[in-house]
Amino acid sequence: MMSSTPPHHIETCIPERREPGVMVFNIRPGGIAEQEGGAIGWFVGIGQDGEFKLNMNFDAPTQDVRRLANGNLLISLTTTGVIMEVTPAGETVRRWHVAGKWLDTPPPEGSIEIDLPLTHHTINVFPNGNLMLLSAEMRQFDDWPESDSDPDAGRRIANVIGDLILEVSPEGAIQRQWKLLDILDPYRPCYGSCSGYWKARGFENSNDWCHTNAVTYSAADDCLIASLRTQDCLIKFSAATGELKWILGNPGNWQAPWSEKLLKPVGDVEWQYHQHDVSITPDGTVLCFDNGNFRALPFAETMPDEACYSRGVEYAVDEEAMTVTQVWSYGSAEGDNVYACYQGGAYRLPKTGNTFLTYGGVCTKDGVPSSDNAGSFARSRLVEVTPSGDVVFDMWIDSGEADGGAPLSSFRSEHFPE
Protein backbone atom coordinates (compact mmCIF):
# COMPACT_ATOMS: atom_id res chain seq x y z
CA MET A 1 0.00 0.00 0.00
CA MET A 2 1.30 3.43 -0.98
CA SER A 3 0.41 6.90 0.25
CA SER A 4 -0.27 8.87 -2.95
CA THR A 5 -3.65 10.58 -2.92
CA PRO A 6 -6.02 10.32 -5.88
CA PRO A 7 -6.65 13.33 -8.13
CA HIS A 8 -9.40 15.41 -6.55
CA HIS A 9 -10.73 18.88 -5.92
CA ILE A 10 -13.18 20.18 -3.31
CA GLU A 11 -15.66 22.80 -4.47
CA THR A 12 -17.56 23.21 -1.18
CA CYS A 13 -16.79 22.33 2.43
CA ILE A 14 -18.69 23.87 5.35
CA PRO A 15 -17.35 21.93 8.37
CA GLU A 16 -19.75 23.36 10.97
CA ARG A 17 -22.74 22.05 9.00
CA ARG A 18 -21.22 18.68 8.17
CA GLU A 19 -21.51 15.37 10.00
CA PRO A 20 -18.70 14.74 12.50
CA GLY A 21 -16.51 11.80 11.59
CA VAL A 22 -15.01 10.38 8.41
CA MET A 23 -16.64 9.31 5.15
CA VAL A 24 -14.77 6.35 3.64
CA PHE A 25 -15.12 5.30 0.02
CA ASN A 26 -13.25 3.47 -2.73
CA ILE A 27 -11.71 4.89 -5.88
CA ARG A 28 -10.94 2.58 -8.79
CA PRO A 29 -10.53 2.63 -12.57
CA GLY A 30 -13.82 3.69 -14.15
CA GLY A 31 -15.39 3.92 -17.55
CA ILE A 32 -13.17 2.70 -20.35
CA ALA A 33 -10.23 2.22 -17.93
CA GLU A 34 -12.22 -0.40 -16.00
CA GLN A 35 -12.85 -2.34 -19.21
CA GLU A 36 -9.14 -2.25 -20.00
CA GLY A 37 -8.29 -3.83 -16.65
CA GLY A 38 -6.77 -0.96 -14.71
CA ALA A 39 -4.94 -2.31 -11.64
CA ILE A 40 -4.95 0.40 -9.01
CA GLY A 41 -7.35 1.44 -6.30
CA TRP A 42 -7.78 3.44 -3.13
CA PHE A 43 -9.83 3.44 0.03
CA VAL A 44 -9.83 7.01 1.31
CA GLY A 45 -11.45 8.74 4.26
CA ILE A 46 -12.44 12.41 4.18
CA GLY A 47 -12.94 14.18 7.49
CA GLN A 48 -15.38 16.89 8.50
CA ASP A 49 -12.81 19.54 7.55
CA GLY A 50 -12.28 18.06 4.07
CA GLU A 51 -8.84 16.65 4.91
CA PHE A 52 -7.71 13.09 4.13
CA LYS A 53 -7.89 11.06 7.34
CA LEU A 54 -7.39 7.68 5.65
CA ASN A 55 -5.53 6.81 2.46
CA MET A 56 -4.90 3.19 1.49
CA ASN A 57 -3.62 2.50 -2.01
CA PHE A 58 -3.70 -0.99 -3.60
CA ASP A 59 -2.35 -2.55 -6.77
CA ALA A 60 -5.84 -3.92 -7.56
CA PRO A 61 -9.26 -2.30 -8.11
CA THR A 62 -11.07 -1.64 -4.84
CA GLN A 63 -14.81 -2.12 -4.35
CA ASP A 64 -16.92 -1.86 -1.20
CA VAL A 65 -16.29 -0.83 2.41
CA ARG A 66 -18.35 -1.38 5.56
CA ARG A 67 -17.84 -0.35 9.16
CA LEU A 68 -17.64 -3.27 11.57
CA ALA A 69 -18.96 -3.12 15.14
CA ASN A 70 -15.38 -3.02 16.46
CA GLY A 71 -14.59 0.06 14.37
CA ASN A 72 -12.51 -1.76 11.78
CA LEU A 73 -13.10 -1.64 8.04
CA LEU A 74 -14.38 -4.56 5.99
CA ILE A 75 -13.14 -4.00 2.43
CA SER A 76 -13.31 -5.91 -0.83
CA LEU A 77 -11.14 -6.22 -3.92
CA THR A 78 -13.75 -7.89 -6.10
CA THR A 79 -11.68 -8.59 -9.21
CA THR A 80 -9.17 -10.57 -7.15
CA GLY A 81 -11.83 -12.22 -4.98
CA VAL A 82 -10.37 -10.90 -1.73
CA ILE A 83 -12.17 -9.51 1.33
CA MET A 84 -10.23 -8.07 4.26
CA GLU A 85 -10.81 -6.75 7.74
CA VAL A 86 -8.35 -3.93 8.36
CA THR A 87 -7.81 -1.43 11.14
CA PRO A 88 -8.12 2.31 10.41
CA ALA A 89 -4.31 2.32 10.44
CA GLY A 90 -4.29 -0.17 7.55
CA GLU A 91 -3.23 -3.29 9.45
CA THR A 92 -4.82 -6.50 8.13
CA VAL A 93 -6.69 -8.44 10.83
CA ARG A 94 -8.34 -11.15 8.71
CA ARG A 95 -8.50 -12.03 5.04
CA TRP A 96 -10.88 -14.16 2.97
CA HIS A 97 -10.59 -15.30 -0.65
CA VAL A 98 -13.15 -16.65 -3.11
CA ALA A 99 -12.07 -20.11 -4.31
CA GLY A 100 -13.05 -19.56 -7.94
CA LYS A 101 -10.67 -16.63 -8.28
CA TRP A 102 -7.63 -18.61 -7.07
CA LEU A 103 -7.79 -21.84 -9.09
CA ASP A 104 -4.38 -21.37 -10.73
CA THR A 105 -2.59 -19.33 -8.09
CA PRO A 106 -1.90 -20.02 -4.41
CA PRO A 107 -4.16 -17.79 -2.30
CA PRO A 108 -2.73 -15.24 0.14
CA GLU A 109 -1.07 -16.91 3.10
CA GLY A 110 -3.42 -17.33 6.05
CA SER A 111 -6.49 -16.39 4.01
CA ILE A 112 -9.83 -18.07 4.75
CA GLU A 113 -11.38 -19.77 1.71
CA ILE A 114 -15.01 -19.21 0.70
CA ASP A 115 -16.25 -21.89 -1.69
CA LEU A 116 -17.81 -19.66 -4.37
CA PRO A 117 -16.92 -19.07 -8.02
CA LEU A 118 -17.01 -15.31 -7.48
CA THR A 119 -18.47 -12.50 -5.44
CA HIS A 120 -19.58 -9.18 -6.87
CA HIS A 121 -20.60 -5.63 -6.02
CA THR A 122 -21.38 -5.16 -2.35
CA ILE A 123 -20.28 -6.68 0.92
CA ASN A 124 -22.26 -6.34 4.14
CA VAL A 125 -22.55 -7.87 7.60
CA PHE A 126 -25.38 -9.54 9.50
CA PRO A 127 -25.91 -8.55 13.17
CA ASN A 128 -24.39 -11.91 14.22
CA GLY A 129 -21.12 -11.03 12.47
CA ASN A 130 -21.64 -13.27 9.45
CA LEU A 131 -20.79 -11.87 6.02
CA MET A 132 -23.51 -10.91 3.54
CA LEU A 133 -22.20 -11.54 0.03
CA LEU A 134 -23.41 -11.70 -3.57
CA SER A 135 -22.60 -14.37 -6.13
CA ALA A 136 -24.27 -15.53 -9.36
CA GLU A 137 -25.68 -18.58 -11.14
CA MET A 138 -26.65 -19.23 -14.75
CA ARG A 139 -29.81 -21.04 -15.84
CA GLN A 140 -31.25 -21.69 -19.28
CA PHE A 141 -34.79 -20.57 -20.12
CA ASP A 142 -36.89 -21.33 -23.16
CA ASP A 143 -38.95 -18.63 -24.87
CA TRP A 144 -36.95 -15.79 -23.33
CA PRO A 145 -37.11 -12.24 -24.81
CA GLU A 146 -34.77 -11.75 -27.75
CA SER A 147 -34.43 -8.03 -26.99
CA ASP A 148 -35.16 -5.53 -24.23
CA SER A 149 -35.51 -2.67 -26.71
CA ASP A 150 -37.33 -4.08 -29.76
CA PRO A 151 -40.99 -4.96 -29.11
CA ASP A 152 -41.15 -6.92 -32.38
CA ALA A 153 -38.20 -9.17 -31.56
CA GLY A 154 -38.92 -12.83 -31.07
CA ARG A 155 -38.18 -15.34 -28.35
CA ARG A 156 -35.24 -17.69 -27.88
CA ILE A 157 -33.46 -20.13 -25.62
CA ALA A 158 -31.31 -17.96 -23.37
CA ASN A 159 -28.71 -18.21 -20.62
CA VAL A 160 -29.92 -16.02 -17.78
CA ILE A 161 -27.82 -14.86 -14.82
CA GLY A 162 -29.56 -14.74 -11.47
CA ASP A 163 -27.91 -13.44 -8.32
CA LEU A 164 -27.35 -15.39 -5.13
CA ILE A 165 -27.43 -13.65 -1.76
CA LEU A 166 -25.38 -15.54 0.81
CA GLU A 167 -24.77 -15.61 4.54
CA VAL A 168 -21.20 -16.76 5.21
CA SER A 169 -19.63 -17.39 8.61
CA PRO A 170 -16.31 -15.75 9.58
CA GLU A 171 -14.78 -19.21 9.11
CA GLY A 172 -15.85 -19.16 5.44
CA ALA A 173 -18.77 -21.63 5.66
CA ILE A 174 -21.93 -20.86 3.68
CA GLN A 175 -24.81 -20.79 6.18
CA ARG A 176 -27.75 -19.75 3.97
CA GLN A 177 -28.38 -18.65 0.41
CA TRP A 178 -31.28 -17.08 -1.47
CA LYS A 179 -31.69 -17.47 -5.26
CA LEU A 180 -33.40 -14.51 -6.89
CA LEU A 181 -34.45 -16.56 -9.92
CA ASP A 182 -36.67 -18.47 -7.47
CA ILE A 183 -38.13 -15.29 -5.96
CA LEU A 184 -38.96 -13.09 -8.98
CA ASP A 185 -40.26 -13.47 -12.53
CA PRO A 186 -37.27 -14.65 -14.63
CA TYR A 187 -38.97 -13.52 -17.85
CA ARG A 188 -39.53 -9.85 -16.98
CA PRO A 189 -37.40 -7.55 -19.15
CA CYS A 190 -36.10 -4.09 -18.31
CA TYR A 191 -33.64 -1.97 -20.25
CA GLY A 192 -30.30 -3.67 -19.72
CA SER A 193 -31.69 -7.14 -18.95
CA CYS A 194 -30.29 -8.50 -22.22
CA SER A 195 -26.87 -6.90 -21.81
CA GLY A 196 -23.65 -8.91 -21.83
CA TYR A 197 -22.26 -7.71 -18.49
CA TRP A 198 -21.52 -11.25 -17.31
CA LYS A 199 -19.78 -12.43 -20.49
CA ALA A 200 -16.51 -10.87 -19.40
CA ARG A 201 -16.91 -12.54 -16.00
CA GLY A 202 -16.96 -16.12 -17.23
CA PHE A 203 -20.60 -16.60 -18.27
CA GLU A 204 -20.64 -17.04 -22.04
CA ASN A 205 -23.66 -15.86 -24.07
CA SER A 206 -25.47 -14.73 -20.93
CA ASN A 207 -28.03 -12.06 -20.08
CA ASP A 208 -27.89 -9.65 -17.14
CA TRP A 209 -31.47 -10.22 -15.93
CA CYS A 210 -31.39 -8.56 -12.49
CA HIS A 211 -27.87 -7.32 -11.57
CA THR A 212 -28.21 -7.11 -7.78
CA ASN A 213 -25.83 -4.48 -6.42
CA ALA A 214 -26.86 -3.95 -2.78
CA VAL A 215 -28.45 -5.89 0.08
CA THR A 216 -29.32 -4.84 3.61
CA TYR A 217 -30.79 -6.72 6.57
CA SER A 218 -33.95 -5.62 8.37
CA ALA A 219 -33.45 -6.83 11.94
CA ALA A 220 -36.95 -5.71 12.97
CA ASP A 221 -38.61 -8.50 10.96
CA ASP A 222 -35.76 -10.77 9.78
CA CYS A 223 -35.99 -9.72 6.15
CA LEU A 224 -33.60 -8.75 3.38
CA ILE A 225 -33.98 -5.72 1.11
CA ALA A 226 -32.14 -5.86 -2.20
CA SER A 227 -31.48 -3.46 -5.09
CA LEU A 228 -31.92 -5.05 -8.53
CA ARG A 229 -30.45 -2.70 -11.12
CA THR A 230 -31.72 -4.27 -14.34
CA GLN A 231 -35.12 -4.97 -12.82
CA ASP A 232 -35.43 -1.29 -11.77
CA CYS A 233 -36.77 -2.27 -8.37
CA LEU A 234 -36.10 -2.74 -4.69
CA ILE A 235 -37.51 -5.89 -3.15
CA LYS A 236 -38.05 -7.15 0.38
CA PHE A 237 -38.30 -10.83 1.28
CA SER A 238 -38.23 -13.03 4.37
CA ALA A 239 -34.79 -14.34 5.31
CA ALA A 240 -36.39 -17.39 6.96
CA THR A 241 -38.68 -18.47 4.11
CA GLY A 242 -37.72 -16.49 1.00
CA GLU A 243 -41.30 -15.19 0.78
CA LEU A 244 -41.53 -11.98 -1.24
CA LYS A 245 -42.97 -9.14 0.86
CA TRP A 246 -43.03 -6.23 -1.59
CA ILE A 247 -41.68 -4.74 -4.81
CA LEU A 248 -40.86 -1.02 -4.98
CA GLY A 249 -40.53 0.39 -8.48
CA ASN A 250 -42.30 1.12 -11.75
CA PRO A 251 -45.21 -1.37 -11.86
CA GLY A 252 -44.90 -2.01 -15.62
CA ASN A 253 -44.29 -5.49 -17.05
CA TRP A 254 -45.04 -7.41 -13.84
CA GLN A 255 -47.30 -10.46 -14.10
CA ALA A 256 -49.23 -12.32 -11.42
CA PRO A 257 -48.40 -13.47 -8.80
CA TRP A 258 -45.55 -10.94 -8.53
CA SER A 259 -47.82 -8.03 -9.46
CA GLU A 260 -49.73 -8.65 -6.23
CA LYS A 261 -46.60 -7.58 -4.29
CA LEU A 262 -46.26 -4.17 -5.94
CA LEU A 263 -46.36 -1.16 -3.62
CA LYS A 264 -48.96 1.39 -4.69
CA PRO A 265 -47.78 5.02 -4.82
CA VAL A 266 -49.37 7.61 -2.57
CA GLY A 267 -48.97 11.22 -3.63
CA ASP A 268 -46.15 12.37 -5.89
CA VAL A 269 -43.82 9.37 -6.23
CA GLU A 270 -41.05 9.36 -8.82
CA TRP A 271 -39.78 5.82 -9.42
CA GLN A 272 -36.09 5.00 -9.24
CA TYR A 273 -34.25 3.41 -12.18
CA HIS A 274 -31.03 1.34 -12.19
CA GLN A 275 -30.57 2.25 -8.52
CA HIS A 276 -27.76 1.38 -6.06
CA ASP A 277 -27.07 1.16 -2.32
CA VAL A 278 -30.34 0.44 -0.53
CA SER A 279 -30.45 1.01 3.24
CA ILE A 280 -32.89 1.48 6.11
CA THR A 281 -32.67 4.90 7.77
CA PRO A 282 -32.98 5.48 11.53
CA ASP A 283 -36.60 6.52 10.84
CA GLY A 284 -37.35 3.16 9.22
CA THR A 285 -37.61 4.59 5.71
CA VAL A 286 -35.84 3.14 2.66
CA LEU A 287 -33.02 5.15 1.08
CA CYS A 288 -31.26 4.48 -2.23
CA PHE A 289 -29.23 6.15 -4.96
CA ASP A 290 -31.39 6.49 -8.06
CA ASN A 291 -28.95 6.43 -11.00
CA GLY A 292 -31.78 7.33 -13.38
CA ASN A 293 -30.74 5.37 -16.47
CA PHE A 294 -33.41 5.49 -19.21
CA ARG A 295 -36.20 6.55 -16.78
CA ALA A 296 -38.56 4.18 -18.57
CA LEU A 297 -39.37 0.49 -18.93
CA PRO A 298 -39.56 -1.51 -22.16
CA PHE A 299 -40.92 -0.64 -24.54
CA ALA A 300 -41.54 3.01 -23.73
CA GLU A 301 -39.30 5.73 -25.15
CA THR A 302 -36.19 6.23 -23.05
CA MET A 303 -34.95 9.55 -21.72
CA PRO A 304 -31.92 10.85 -23.67
CA ASP A 305 -28.63 10.55 -21.81
CA GLU A 306 -28.09 14.30 -21.77
CA ALA A 307 -31.44 14.76 -19.99
CA CYS A 308 -30.96 11.98 -17.40
CA TYR A 309 -30.16 12.81 -13.78
CA SER A 310 -29.25 10.90 -10.64
CA ARG A 311 -30.57 11.56 -7.15
CA GLY A 312 -30.80 10.31 -3.63
CA VAL A 313 -34.36 9.28 -2.82
CA GLU A 314 -36.12 8.20 0.38
CA TYR A 315 -39.35 6.21 0.49
CA ALA A 316 -41.71 5.41 3.37
CA VAL A 317 -43.35 1.99 3.01
CA ASP A 318 -46.63 1.07 4.69
CA GLU A 319 -46.55 -2.72 4.60
CA GLU A 320 -50.05 -3.14 5.96
CA ALA A 321 -51.59 -0.90 3.30
CA MET A 322 -48.96 -1.99 0.69
CA THR A 323 -48.27 1.64 -0.24
CA VAL A 324 -45.18 3.77 -0.75
CA THR A 325 -44.67 7.52 -0.27
CA GLN A 326 -41.69 9.56 -1.43
CA VAL A 327 -40.57 11.64 1.56
CA TRP A 328 -37.29 13.18 0.36
CA SER A 329 -35.05 13.44 -2.67
CA TYR A 330 -32.11 15.45 -3.90
CA GLY A 331 -30.65 15.75 -7.39
CA SER A 332 -33.52 16.30 -9.80
CA ALA A 333 -33.86 20.09 -9.52
CA GLU A 334 -32.49 22.45 -12.14
CA GLY A 335 -28.83 23.06 -11.38
CA ASP A 336 -28.52 20.03 -9.10
CA ASN A 337 -28.87 17.39 -11.79
CA VAL A 338 -25.71 15.35 -12.34
CA TYR A 339 -25.99 12.01 -14.12
CA ALA A 340 -23.99 9.05 -12.79
CA CYS A 341 -24.92 6.19 -15.08
CA TYR A 342 -23.44 3.48 -12.86
CA GLN A 343 -22.30 2.85 -9.29
CA GLY A 344 -23.38 5.20 -6.51
CA GLY A 345 -24.55 5.45 -2.94
CA ALA A 346 -26.79 7.23 -0.45
CA TYR A 347 -26.03 7.26 3.28
CA ARG A 348 -28.19 8.91 5.98
CA LEU A 349 -25.90 10.43 8.62
CA PRO A 350 -26.92 9.85 12.25
CA LYS A 351 -26.31 13.18 14.06
CA THR A 352 -27.16 15.89 11.52
CA GLY A 353 -29.67 13.96 9.40
CA ASN A 354 -27.59 14.99 6.38
CA THR A 355 -27.30 12.59 3.45
CA PHE A 356 -23.99 11.69 1.83
CA LEU A 357 -24.34 10.90 -1.86
CA THR A 358 -21.83 9.09 -4.07
CA TYR A 359 -22.23 9.88 -7.75
CA GLY A 360 -20.06 6.89 -8.51
CA GLY A 361 -19.62 6.92 -12.28
CA VAL A 362 -20.26 10.28 -13.94
CA CYS A 363 -19.54 9.24 -17.53
CA THR A 364 -19.08 11.54 -20.51
CA LYS A 365 -18.05 11.34 -24.15
CA ASP A 366 -16.53 14.59 -25.39
CA GLY A 367 -18.10 16.27 -22.38
CA VAL A 368 -21.63 14.99 -23.08
CA PRO A 369 -23.36 12.77 -20.46
CA SER A 370 -23.36 9.12 -21.46
CA SER A 371 -24.87 5.83 -20.29
CA ASP A 372 -22.05 3.94 -22.00
CA ASN A 373 -19.72 3.43 -19.05
CA ALA A 374 -17.69 0.89 -21.07
CA GLY A 375 -16.58 3.50 -23.59
CA SER A 376 -16.60 6.77 -21.67
CA PHE A 377 -14.46 8.94 -19.45
CA ALA A 378 -15.51 8.59 -15.80
CA ARG A 379 -15.34 10.80 -12.72
CA SER A 380 -17.01 10.54 -9.33
CA ARG A 381 -18.64 13.18 -7.17
CA LEU A 382 -19.08 13.03 -3.37
CA VAL A 383 -21.77 15.31 -1.95
CA GLU A 384 -23.19 15.92 1.53
CA VAL A 385 -26.56 17.67 1.64
CA THR A 386 -28.74 18.81 4.51
CA PRO A 387 -32.37 17.65 4.88
CA SER A 388 -33.41 20.87 3.13
CA GLY A 389 -31.02 20.21 0.24
CA ASP A 390 -28.20 22.64 1.05
CA VAL A 391 -24.84 21.38 -0.20
CA VAL A 392 -22.28 21.44 2.65
CA PHE A 393 -19.63 19.31 0.94
CA ASP A 394 -18.90 18.79 -2.75
CA MET A 395 -15.82 16.90 -3.91
CA TRP A 396 -14.85 15.55 -7.33
CA ILE A 397 -12.49 12.66 -8.04
CA ASP A 398 -11.34 13.77 -11.45
CA SER A 399 -8.01 13.30 -13.23
CA GLY A 400 -9.05 15.55 -16.12
CA GLU A 401 -10.19 14.21 -19.45
CA ALA A 402 -8.68 17.14 -21.37
CA ASP A 403 -5.36 16.54 -19.62
CA GLY A 404 -5.29 12.87 -20.61
CA GLY A 405 -6.02 11.62 -17.10
CA ALA A 406 -7.25 8.14 -16.24
CA PRO A 407 -11.01 7.61 -15.78
CA LEU A 408 -11.90 6.94 -12.13
CA SER A 409 -15.07 5.91 -10.26
CA SER A 410 -16.39 5.12 -6.78
CA PHE A 411 -18.87 2.47 -5.67
CA ARG A 412 -20.41 3.85 -2.46
CA SER A 413 -19.45 5.51 0.86
CA GLU A 414 -19.57 4.53 4.54
CA HIS A 415 -19.56 6.73 7.66
CA PHE A 416 -17.07 6.20 10.50
CA PRO A 417 -17.36 8.25 13.70
CA GLU A 418 -14.23 10.32 14.42
Side-chain angles (χ1 to χ4, degrees):
M1 293 185 288
M2 299 179 292
S3 59
S4 60
T5 57
H8 66 281
H9 64 272
I10 296 176
E11 296 189 351
T12 302
C13 183
I14 309 174
E16 63 272 19
R17 299 186 66 188
R18 294 197 62 208
E19 182 81 8
V22 179
M23 292 306 301
V24 179
F25 52 93
N26 77 314
I27 303 168
R28 56 174 290 163
I32 195 168
E34 180 181 355
Q35 310 305 314
E36 294 172 349
I40 191 171
W42 290 265
F43 284 107
V44 299
I46 305 298
Q48 187 177 2
D49 56 1
E51 297 295 321
F52 280 78
K53 306 296 186 183
L54 174 73
N55 182 33
M56 297 187 292
N57 186 260
F58 295 82
D59 58 359
T62 52
Q63 186 67 18
D64 202 4
V65 55
R66 298 282 177 175
R67 180 177 180 268
L68 297 174
N70 61 9
N72 287 341
L73 293 76
L74 186 71
I75 62 176
S76 62
L77 311 174
T78 300
T79 57
T80 59
V82 169
I83 300 168
M84 293 187 288
E85 178 185 350
V86 300
T87 67
E91 178 185 355
T92 300
V93 177
R94 288 183 293 181
R95 188 192 312 260
W96 297 264
H97 67 276
V98 177
K101 291 285 189 175
W102 295 87
L103 297 177
D104 303 318
T105 307
E109 185 176 354
S111 181
I112 301 166
E113 182 173 281
I114 302 174
D115 187 16
L116 291 170
L118 55 82
T119 56
H120 64 87
H121 288 91
T122 193
I123 53 174
N124 211 333
V125 184
F126 285 92
N128 61 8
N130 287 347
L131 303 176
M132 185 187 303
L133 305 177
L134 289 172
S135 191
E137 63 170 337
M138 185 167 70
R139 298 186 198 175
Q140 192 172 90
F141 288 89
D142 297 330
D143 203 32
W144 209 74
E146 183 74 35
S147 171
D148 56 28
S149 59
D150 181 2
D152 298 320
R155 297 271 172 161
R156 56 177 167 142
I157 298 173
N159 295 324
V160 178
I161 301 301
D163 292 309
L164 309 179
I165 301 172
L166 302 113
E167 180 177 0
V168 178
S169 73
E171 294 73 35
I174 297 173
Q175 304 294 305
R176 294 188 288 178
Q177 65 176 332
W178 300 268
K179 300 181 178 183
L180 292 187
L181 282 168
D182 294 336
I183 296 175
L184 292 179
D185 180 3
Y187 286 91
R188 179 180 184 258
C190 286
Y191 289 119
S193 296
C194 295
S195 72
Y197 174 86
W198 289 103
K199 294 177 184 177
R201 293 156 179 83
F203 295 94
E204 293 293 332
N205 302 315
S206 60
N207 297 272
D208 190 16
W209 164 69
C210 71
H211 198 111
T212 305
N213 54 35
V215 189
T216 193
Y217 179 70
S218 173
D221 51 8
D222 188 34
C223 285
L224 293 167
I225 301 176
S227 163
L228 281 56
R229 176 171 166 87
T230 56
Q231 285 291 302
D232 291 317
C233 70
L234 307 172
I235 65 168
K236 183 177 182 178
F237 63 91
S238 166
T241 66
E243 176 193 359
L244 183 64
K245 299 294 186 179
W246 49 250
I247 300 170
L248 195 168
N250 189 318
N253 299 337
W254 287 105
Q255 306 178 64
W258 302 280
S259 56
E260 299 167 6
K261 301 296 185 178
L262 288 164
L263 295 174
K264 298 176 179 59
V266 174
D268 187 13
V269 173
E270 182 183 359
W271 301 120
Q272 80 289 344
Y273 294 90
H274 273 45
Q275 72 290 319
H276 278 76
D277 196 24
V278 64
S279 60
I280 303 168
T281 73
D283 294 327
T285 55
V286 177
L287 181 69
C288 74
F289 184 80
D290 172 16
N291 291 80
N293 300 49
F294 309 113
R295 294 212 171 268
L297 295 181
F299 293 99
E301 183 178 356
T302 61
M303 182 176 285
D305 288 351
E306 59 269 22
C308 286
Y309 54 88
S310 303
R311 63 190 181 125
V313 60
E314 179 182 2
Y315 298 109
V317 174
D318 184 330
E319 296 192 353
E320 184 174 341
M322 286 295 287
T323 59
V324 59
T325 305
Q326 180 175 304
V327 296
W328 179 87
S329 73
Y330 172 85
S332 58
E334 185 89 22
D336 295 332
N337 46 355
V338 172
Y339 178 38
C341 69
Y342 81 125
Q343 305 192 91
Y347 197 109
R348 180 58 46 80
L349 297 162
K351 289 190 176 181
T352 58
N354 292 351
T355 303
F356 197 88
L357 301 174
T358 305
Y359 290 77
V362 180
C363 293
T364 53
K365 287 185 177 181
D366 299 322
V368 178
S370 174
S371 291
D372 177 20
N373 64 290
S376 300
F377 189 82
R379 304 173 292 154
S380 59
R381 182 192 184 206
L382 295 308
V383 181
E384 184 176 338
V385 297
T386 66
S388 61
D390 295 336
V391 175
V392 295
F393 181 75
D394 193 348
M395 175 181 186
W396 283 88
I397 304 299
D398 184 1
S399 62
E401 182 177 14
D403 299 328
L408 297 170
S409 66
S410 301
F411 182 59
R412 55 172 298 279
S413 304
E414 183 90 344
H415 177 256
F416 286 70
E418 187 72 69

